[in-house]
Amino acid sequence: MQMIRRALLALTALSPFVARAEPHLSGPLIQSINTDRAYYQNGDSARLLVTLSNQTGASFAGTVTASVSGRGVQVGGAVTVSVPALAQGATSQVEIRLPTNALGQWQGYFVNLVATNGGGTQIDQEAGAIDSSPDWWTYPRQCWNVGDYTDWGGWKPTMFRGPEKDIQSLNAYKCNNLQFYNMLYRWHQPWTDAESWVNGDGENISASLIRRSLAQSKAYGMGNFFYFPIYAANYGIAPNFTQDGSGVQLSWGMFTSACGANGGTCTINDLWKFNDKIAYMDPNNGQWQNYYAQQIKLIIRKFGFDGPFIDTFGTIYTLLYNASGHTIDMSKAYSSFLKTVTGIVNGAFILNPAGSYNEQDLIQSGLLAYDFTERWNNSSDIGTFGDFLTKARQIWGYASGRKHSLGLDWDMGMNKTLGASSTCTINGGSTACTFNTPGVLFQEAAMLATGAHHAWIVDGEQNAGDGGRFISGDDFPIGNQLSPKADMVQGEYDYQNFGVAYEKLLRLNVSASTAAAPSITSGATGSTTAAAGSVWMFQNHRSGFDILHLLNFQQMSTASFNDVNDNCACAAAPTKTGALQLKMYVTAGGTIGNLYTASPDVNHGAPVQLTYATGSDGSGSYITFTLPSLQFWDMVWLENGLASSDYTTP
């Protein structure tokens, strides 16, 4: 601990301002915060880069102080750097260097930043986070890269600033791996030795821009994945896959009838089709599997990707046949494909099952770097906010036996119906449609509290200062998207930052508590079942900690509770409560210690230690305490058996 303190005090610097591109935060002085890496291995020196933009109304001279904490416990001493006089409207940058050699592994750290003037008055407060981990896949935080196009097939997006600045912004939003989306040469032939090409959607891709994006993301330590769908082949695009010399055979396809039975012959028109451009190949077919493995090897060799992002187009309800007229068994198609390809290609693999379809078999194959799923807002997948927790615990159960919990990274857009409205300016209308911030934060809170990262951030901007774009359509981030408001930019940053700062309590080796259910004894209506009109409480346990989550659905309508995408952009913000009195049962067998709470809605996630009283009854031992307030989401954690935990020291 003393080693950390001395090093923190020594390694600070005030840097000349260099124009940066991170999301603009809403305070009067601290405009943006970034790090030089997406995660840090022991021995790395973490550079915290803080851009100051003086909007206080007067000249500012004073200090910026950084304090680091892990699981609520301060690490080392505060680090203070002086800021010379900064005129109103002027911008500069502060750099603080934080050593990580004594930090724990697979642990997040909260960095509290306070700006104080020469008279000792606090002018601004914001927060950063450090991910101290040996890898990026234990806590996956995927974002999209789409800025490697030179022509977008008729739509000309603004606010792409080049891979260097765009990926810098994604790093500020805490992305640690990127999906290079839809940069295929052909649907069935991702690789080409050309330096530019047109994909199946008529968009021009630049190999040079791909290399620049890869270089920048690797400089941040991010993982990198090249997108392709598991079974797509050019059909209505001339030349189709049977005529373009790729070597893909019609006999590898999936057909809508038993046309090949009894010596019959299938034609290209017998194939099952996704749309007028794409037909389906059989992911069980060994020749298709081997062909695609070679394509992936060529892509990795050309660019240096870590592996493929394998996509699917969702649940297949239709009965399909192979070229011999036999019905195709899709129940193990994804794991079958992975087993062959991973045996040929050395790399990391992600496969998106798109909803719950074949999810159990896919996860139990043990071949995924982590769980990436395009979650669907319907009764087959995520019908209500409570289903996020159901899915998380189900997936952890599927992946039992892993050293660490399977990382959850879930793709889900927001305001999808609104984004399609002809009244929006992005679609030629007159209304400046934007995301509804309460709807965004409800979804972020539900995902993070249940152990998942929300994969919906895309490079580029809609407006200067957004720091990124956000999926408002069905997982097609190339198209125009809704604009975030300033409060959403700040909120999204806070929630993503919170997810890193407290990742070991949220995402690593967490399971449902075996203790009796918690309760709110005064101040709000509590329920251990997620429902509109109450505060939803659920309790988890990890070695050394009991963890209680409270999500405020008291003002949420039933319609909004059943629409986690907030399609109408009408979810109402919850009313911030006063003090809540709580009773929380503790897991038996451990020695209890300190009690803490933190919320991304309060002081940007800064931890607060709480006092408590103990008691017991027929249901077990419990503590009672006062939670100061609740807006969207609060997390409470109690040290319980800390001496035998892997989270004993920050």
Side-chain angles (χ1 to χ4, degrees):
M1 187 78 73
Q2 294 298 321
M3 182 186 301
I4 297 175
R5 181 177 295 114
R6 288 194 297 270
L8 285 173
L9 290 169
L11 292 172
T12 62
L14 182 63
S15 303
F17 175 68
V18 177
R20 302 183 67 82
E22 294 89 352
H24 288 186
L25 308 178
S26 57
L29 184 64
I30 300 174
Q31 181 186 82
S32 64
I33 303 162
N34 210 341
T35 54
D36 66 319
R37 299 277 294 175
Y39 68 99
Y40 294 92
Q41 298 178 343
N42 285 155
D44 292 343
S45 178
R47 296 172 58 211
L48 192 70
L49 307 166
V50 183
T51 300
L52 306 175
S53 180
N54 186 1
Q55 307 301 320
T56 64
S59 179
F60 172 83
T63 60
V64 174
T65 299
S67 301
V68 180
S69 62
R71 61 173 178 80
V73 179
Q74 185 164 334
V75 181
V79 180
T80 299
V81 61
S82 296
V83 180
L86 186 65
Q88 162 64 23
T91 305
S92 67
Q93 188 177 96
V94 171
E95 179 177 322
I96 302 174
R97 297 201 175 192
L98 308 173
T100 66
N101 57 296
L103 301 184
Q105 293 190 326
W106 290 294
Q107 294 181 196
Y109 293 87
F110 181 83
V111 183
N112 195 46
L113 292 167
V114 176
T116 306
N117 67 15
T121 300
Q122 179 175 312
I123 300 300
D124 203 359
Q125 182 261 332
E126 285 284 353
I130 295 172
D131 180 0
S132 177
S133 295
D135 59 58
W136 47 260
W137 52 85
T138 297
Y139 302 118
R141 303 184 294 273
Q142 186 173 106
C143 298
W144 270 262
N145 172 264
V146 298
D148 299 336
Y149 296 73
T150 55
D151 183 272
W152 296 72
W155 179 69
K156 308 297 182 186
T158 58
M159 303 308 292
F160 277 89
R161 301 148 300 180
E164 292 75 21
K165 289 186 178 296
D166 287 341
I167 293 173
Q168 172 187 305
S169 284
L170 294 182
N171 187 69
Y173 274 122
K174 301 298 182 290
C175 310
N176 69 3
N177 72 99
L178 300 181
Q179 176 192 149
F180 283 63
Y181 180 75
N182 200 22
M183 297 176 189
L184 307 161
Y185 171 56
R186 308 232 187 278
W187 291 113
H188 57 283
Q189 186 183 348
W191 177 84
T192 173
D193 60 0
E195 284 299 293
S196 64
W197 59 91
V198 180
N199 70 7
D201 289 322
E203 296 144 340
N204 291 49
I205 297 98
S206 164
S208 175
L209 285 173
I210 290 175
R211 292 189 186 95
R212 285 173 56 190
S213 294
L214 278 165
Q216 186 62 50
S217 63
K218 288 182 177 183
Y220 284 112
M222 297 177 180
N224 296 281
F225 293 85
F226 188 87
Y227 170 94
F228 78 87
I230 193 171
Y231 36 40
N234 281 28
Y235 166 72
I237 304 168
N240 66 46
F241 73 91
T242 66
Q243 299 172 332
D244 64 2
S246 63
V248 176
Q249 302 297 307
L250 178 63
S251 60
W252 302 350
M254 293 198 285
F255 302 93
T256 57
S257 69
C259 49
N262 302 316
T265 301
C266 297
T267 71
I268 194 169
N269 292 324
D270 293 315
L271 287 168
W272 192 44
K273 301 167 189 70
F274 176 68
N275 57 26
D276 61 353
K277 296 180 180 179
I278 300 171
Y280 283 80
M281 296 291 104
D282 179 5
N284 294 289
N285 184 283
Q287 291 175 291
W288 171 251
Q289 294 170 352
N290 279 280
Y291 166 82
Y292 233 116
Q294 298 305 322
Q295 288 288 306
I296 294 167
K297 286 179 71 174
L298 289 168
I299 286 284
I300 291 175
R301 184 183 303 162
K302 179 171 181 174
F303 292 110
F305 285 100
D306 292 291
F309 179 97
I310 305 169
D311 198 17
T312 70
F313 298 154
T315 303
I316 297 176
Y317 297 106
T318 305
L319 187 63
L320 298 169
Y321 302 83
N322 62 24
S324 299
H326 299 127
T327 56
I328 295 174
D329 179 9
M330 289 298 298
S331 65
K332 297 185 180 300
Y334 299 162
S335 61
S336 169
F337 186 91
L338 280 178
K339 285 174 185 175
T340 296
V341 177
T342 57
I344 297 171
V345 179
N346 182 25
F349 286 78
I350 302 168
L351 197 156
N352 168 33
S356 299
Y357 182 63
N358 286 347
E359 195 168 33
Q360 181 174 356
D361 176 65
L362 176 61
I363 291 167
Q364 290 180 338
S365 74
L367 299 171
L368 297 174
Y370 61 82
D371 170 57
F372 184 104
T373 307
E374 175 190 327
R375 301 257 72 114
W376 290 352
N377 182 192
N378 60 48
S379 59
S380 72
D381 193 30
I382 304 292
T384 72
F385 281 95
D387 290 337
F388 285 115
L389 180 61
T390 301
K391 285 296 176 189
R393 288 179 173 172
Q394 187 180 64
I395 290 168
W396 287 335
Y398 294 158
S400 62
R402 289 175 66 112
K403 176 183 177 181
H404 294 156
S405 298
L406 182 67
L408 309 180
D409 207 340
W410 291 349
D411 161 21
M412 181 172 264
M414 290 291 302
N415 298 168
K416 295 184 179 183
T417 301
L418 179 69
S421 171
S422 61
T423 65
C424 297
T425 54
I426 60 172
N427 297 317
S430 59
T431 303
C433 297
T434 62
F435 288 98
N436 175 39
T437 301
V440 170
L441 298 187
F442 275 126
Q443 191 181 95
E444 292 292 9
M447 282 202 188
L448 281 168
T450 54
H453 169 260
H454 186 190
W456 74 312
I457 308 176
V458 190
D459 58 335
E461 294 183 304
Q462 295 298 82
N463 300 297
D466 292 348
R469 304 204 326 277
F470 302 86
I471 297 174
S472 55
D474 277 316
D475 311 300
F476 196 64
I478 291 177
N480 216 342
Q481 303 296 330
L482 298 173
S483 298
K485 294 179 289 187
D487 64 340
M488 178 189 147
V489 172
Q490 176 73 67
E492 181 68 20
Y493 172 84
D494 286 340
Y495 273 68
Q496 296 290 354
N497 194 72
F498 190 90
V500 173
Y502 299 100
E503 58 195 4
K504 197 160 187 171
L505 295 172
L506 293 166
R507 307 182 71 184
L508 187 65
N509 296 345
V510 174
S511 59
S513 173
T514 58
S519 60
I520 299 175
T521 57
S522 69
T525 300
S527 174
T528 54
T529 300
S534 63
V535 173
W536 180 31
M537 299 177 294
F538 64 89
Q539 194 166 322
N540 286 332
H541 181 77
R542 77 168 323 280
S543 174
F545 296 89
D546 286 317
I547 306 158
L548 175 64
H549 295 281
L550 300 97
L551 290 91
N552 188 2
F553 298 150
Q554 289 188 112
Q555 284 74 46
M556 181 177 282
S557 69
T558 300
S560 286
F561 183 73
N562 290 280
D563 180 15
V564 298
N565 288 337
D566 191 26
N567 280 313
C568 64
C570 60
T575 301
K576 187 175 182 179
T577 72
L580 305 180
Q581 305 300 316
L582 286 105
K583 182 179 183 179
M584 175 183 174
Y585 286 89
V586 302
T587 303
T591 300
I592 62 174
N594 293 330
L595 178 70
Y596 299 91
T597 186
S599 169
D601 310 317
V602 181
N603 293 328
H604 309 292
V608 175
Q609 186 171 348
L610 302 175
T611 60
Y612 63 89
T614 61
S616 63
D617 57 22
S619 297
S621 298
Y622 62 81
I623 63 170
T624 57
F625 60 96
T626 301
L627 189 68
S629 64
L630 172 65
Q631 191 168 5
F632 287 90
W633 168 40
D634 278 19
M635 180 172 68
V636 177
W637 63 98
L638 173 69
E639 296 172 348
N640 186 1
L642 188 61
S644 59
S645 174
D646 65 347
Y647 204 179
T648 55
T649 58

